[in-house]
Amino acid sequence: MPSAIARDSDSKPDSFTQNSRVYVLALIAYCGIFLFGYDTGVAGGVVGLKSFTDSFGYTKKSALEIANIKSWIVSILMLGAFAGSVGAAPLCQWLGRKKSLLIAVTVFIIGSAIQTAATHSVGQMYAGRFIGGLGVGSMSIAEVSPKEARGRITGLFQILVAIGVAISYWITYGFQEHFAGTTIQWRFPIGFQLIPAVVMFGLLFFIRESPRWLVYNNEPEKALVNLAWVRKRSINDPKIQEEIAEIQAAIQEERDATTGASIKEAWAPGNRKRFFIAFFMFFFQQWSGQNSISYYSPLIFQSIGINGTSTGLLASGIYGLVKIVATSIFIFFGIERIGRSKALGFGGAFMSMFLWIIGAIYYTHIPNVKATSPSSSSIAMAAMIYCFVIPYCFSWGPTCWVYCSEIFPMRLRPYGMGVASSTQWIFNFCITKITPTLVIKLPNGRLFFLFAAMNVVSSAFGFWLPETAGVSIEEMDVLFGAVTREERDKYLQEQLEKRQAEMMSIDTEKAHESRH
């Protein structure tokens, strides 16, 4: 009788309390995403604070020397994140998802603490930023997130990154206004990232190892127990049995598909184009100009005549809010309706248009750096920067990851996404490192002309891309020329005939058994 009641209750939708551990896992994932956004945004604001430059004693250096110091403080995080992302996969495979995340968060906390406590030594800040980057680059969100939350986490990634960046702007702005002349003005914005990191660290002790990792490492019994714990169900529950069977089947399919896989396959005619796309997609994303504006928005806004540290930070905060709203609209309403190729093509075109306008206004109305209030031309340029980020959020921001995750066959997906991720981090570092120098070396709007020209090329690249929206994974090989339509249809027909023959054989055996 009790088992019958249990089966009846299993048929009901899961309640909030039954999924409470699922939400804890999702919260851990959200903390990791937020940290990535916050940490990439906070440094660009604090390096412009007088209290920060006074603390590290580089105010008397030349403009280029100061730009070089600022660029290293901001960009070295990306270098650490690249190293962390490269080491994340083998670390996860070796120790498991939970232990590797504990290590990553611990490293991040150490790096953040070094940054917050740094005194008079830029080297300390460099070390703290690099170590923090190692931690944030190692945080893998997909494996710790449950099936119920995985889709939302993927879709919310860009939104949460934008929220993290925006909050870093507003916290820096608030402390600029109310704690002028004290080191708290820059220490708190940097130290604030310790709060979500410590929360994430504490929550990790209340979860168990990933069932998928345990199955992959031949511990199916423990995986079953952990999955039942996450779902708050019995190990004999039909839903748990079905889900663990799905995990085992998926891992076996993955092993079958990747057996004998080699990076050499990237040079095959049908795959070469896909790797080419993955590389240049993230190359163009980083050279769109958005990260330069995002990471150094106070500097960029000051360069167009929005003078004063507080005013620049306020303009940066508004920029962050525009990104949140635009990204949210696209993720929830636009990404499946517009299509990938059109989004990238038109997005690049509109981004280029707004950057040409900014450059033209700047070139014809040189901002007065001594003005006490922004001129009408400076306000117009700021408005165009806000307009520029909207098509970015509708195109090159979220779409690149979506596109690259779709185009590779399973056996080459680790290599393909590795190329995409590495390209993103390397050029993220490059553009972040050289932006302050470009602001000085390309005056009078030329920096905006450079990014505008890059977006003309990226727009053409976007329109050239094969459209993948609505295309199944199996059809990608046909789309990219790995096989012809005729070859694929012939293979499908052979598989269908083989399946029909197997079914007929089974039916014949059953009929034979029934006669006896």
Side-chain angles (χ1 to χ4, degrees):
M1 187 67 179
S3 61
I5 294 172
R7 282 193 299 271
D8 181 64
S9 65
D10 288 340
S11 63
K12 298 177 182 178
D14 290 343
S15 64
F16 178 85
T17 54
Q18 183 150 22
N19 270 329
S20 59
R21 288 167 182 161
V22 170
Y23 298 124
V24 171
L25 292 173
L27 179 60
I28 291 171
Y30 291 148
C31 284
I33 302 168
F34 175 85
L35 286 172
F36 172 75
Y38 188 92
D39 206 23
T40 54
V42 68
V46 299
V47 294
L49 299 176
K50 187 177 185 302
S51 60
F52 186 87
T53 56
D54 288 344
S55 293
F56 294 97
Y58 59 80
T59 52
K60 295 182 180 180
K61 296 182 180 292
S62 68
L64 279 175
E65 287 175 321
I66 292 173
N68 185 55
I69 292 171
K70 288 181 176 180
S71 67
W72 271 115
I73 291 173
V74 177
S75 66
I76 200 167
L77 175 91
M78 316 305 169
L79 208 56
F82 169 71
S85 66
V86 170
L91 185 67
C92 285
Q93 289 294 81
W94 177 39
L95 295 177
R97 312 310 181 196
K98 179 178 176 178
K99 290 179 181 178
S100 62
L101 274 174
L102 279 168
I103 292 172
V105 178
T106 302
V107 170
F108 180 83
I109 290 173
I110 292 170
S112 299
I114 292 173
Q115 295 173 60
T116 306
T119 53
H120 310 301
S121 171
V122 177
Q124 283 180 298
M125 185 60 67
Y126 291 161
R129 292 285 289 170
F130 182 82
I131 294 170
L134 282 174
V136 80
S138 301
M139 293 180 192
S140 170
I141 65 164
E143 289 300 338
V144 77
S145 58
K147 183 173 65 175
E148 287 86 347
R150 197 172 300 141
R152 290 191 293 275
I153 289 171
T154 302
L156 288 171
F157 180 86
Q158 288 290 334
I159 298 172
L160 288 166
V161 169
I163 290 173
V165 173
I167 289 178
S168 75
Y169 292 158
W170 286 105
I171 288 178
T172 306
Y173 171 71
F175 275 77
Q176 153 67 21
E177 287 289 289
H178 301 291
F179 291 89
T182 68
T183 60
I184 295 175
Q185 187 185 55
W186 65 265
R187 289 189 194 277
F188 186 90
I190 288 179
F192 176 80
Q193 60 196 321
L194 286 166
I195 298 174
V198 170
V199 170
M200 184 177 179
F201 181 83
L203 288 173
L204 282 168
F205 287 97
F206 294 95
I207 68 169
R208 297 188 181 183
E209 183 53 76
S210 160
R212 191 180 193 281
W213 183 84
L214 290 168
V215 170
Y216 191 87
N217 285 274
N218 302 314
E219 295 187 61
E221 294 81 9
K222 193 172 182 179
L224 180 64
V225 172
N226 284 11
L227 183 63
W229 177 85
V230 171
R231 306 293 184 239
K232 289 188 174 181
R233 291 178 178 272
S234 164
I235 59 173
N236 297 317
D237 187 290
K239 286 188 177 181
I240 298 300
Q241 293 290 334
E242 181 182 352
E243 187 169 354
I244 201 72
E246 289 176 355
I247 292 172
Q248 290 174 316
I251 289 177
Q252 188 58 50
E253 288 174 3
E254 183 179 317
R255 282 175 170 161
D256 292 342
T258 55
T259 299
S262 168
I263 190 62
K264 294 179 181 179
E265 293 181 44
W267 300 107
N271 297 325
R272 195 162 49 227
K273 183 176 180 180
R274 288 185 257 206
F275 281 87
F276 172 88
I277 287 172
F279 177 87
F280 279 99
M281 184 168 279
F282 283 96
F283 172 84
F284 286 125
Q285 184 199 57
Q286 296 306 310
W287 278 95
S288 66
Q290 195 285 142
N291 278 348
S292 292
I293 295 173
S294 182
Y295 296 160
Y296 295 102
S297 53
L299 174 64
I300 297 296
F301 280 109
Q302 288 172 31
S303 75
I304 64 171
I306 308 297
N307 296 322
T309 305
S310 294
T311 308
L313 287 169
L314 177 61
S316 302
I318 296 171
Y319 180 82
L321 294 178
V322 173
K323 277 188 68 177
I324 293 172
V325 173
T327 304
S328 300
I329 292 172
F330 182 69
I331 291 296
F332 289 118
F333 303 108
I335 192 165
E336 295 300 335
R337 298 182 182 182
I338 300 174
R340 320 300 191 228
S341 178
K342 288 182 180 178
L344 294 169
F346 284 112
F350 280 107
M351 288 155 60
S352 179
M353 179 185 73
F354 289 123
L355 289 169
W356 285 118
I357 293 171
I358 296 168
I361 297 173
Y362 198 124
Y363 190 79
T364 56
H365 299 76
I366 304 297
N368 181 4
V369 294
K370 297 182 180 180
T372 56
S373 61
S375 64
S376 58
S377 60
S378 294
I379 294 172
M381 283 188 280
M384 289 299 101
I385 288 177
Y386 297 146
C387 291
F388 155 81
V389 79
I390 293 174
Y392 175 83
C393 295
F394 276 34
S395 58
W396 288 89
T399 306
C400 294
W401 288 110
V402 174
Y403 194 95
C404 286
S405 68
E406 294 174 333
I407 63 176
F408 291 101
M410 185 178 290
R411 64 186 288 104
L412 292 179
R413 190 162 297 154
Y415 298 109
M417 295 308 294
V419 168
S421 179
S422 299
T423 305
Q424 188 265 344
W425 282 120
I426 288 296
F427 285 105
N428 195 327
F429 165 73
C430 291
I431 195 66
T432 307
K433 178 65 183 74
I434 66 175
T435 292
T437 302
L438 291 178
V439 171
I440 296 171
K441 294 287 189 179
L442 298 175
N444 302 338
R446 292 182 177 87
L447 176 61
F448 298 102
F449 289 147
L450 170 64
F451 290 135
M454 289 299 297
N455 280 297
V456 170
V457 182
S458 71
S459 175
F461 179 81
F463 283 121
W464 168 79
L465 290 173
E467 182 56 67
T468 60
V471 179
S472 68
I473 297 297
E474 292 73 22
E475 289 294 308
M476 289 295 175
D477 284 342
V478 177
L479 184 66
F480 286 95
V483 296
T484 65
R485 168 60 61 188
E486 292 73 18
E487 289 171 333
R488 175 51 54 89
D489 289 344
K490 181 181 178 182
Y491 175 78
L492 292 175
Q493 184 62 35
E494 290 173 351
Q495 293 299 307
L496 179 60
E497 291 173 355
K498 181 180 178 181
R499 180 62 177 164
Q500 289 173 341
E502 290 174 352
M503 294 301 294
M504 289 178 64
S505 176
I506 293 171
D507 290 342
T508 302
E509 288 179 8
K510 287 181 177 179
H512 182 73
E513 289 173 0
S514 65
R515 286 195 298 269
H516 291 81

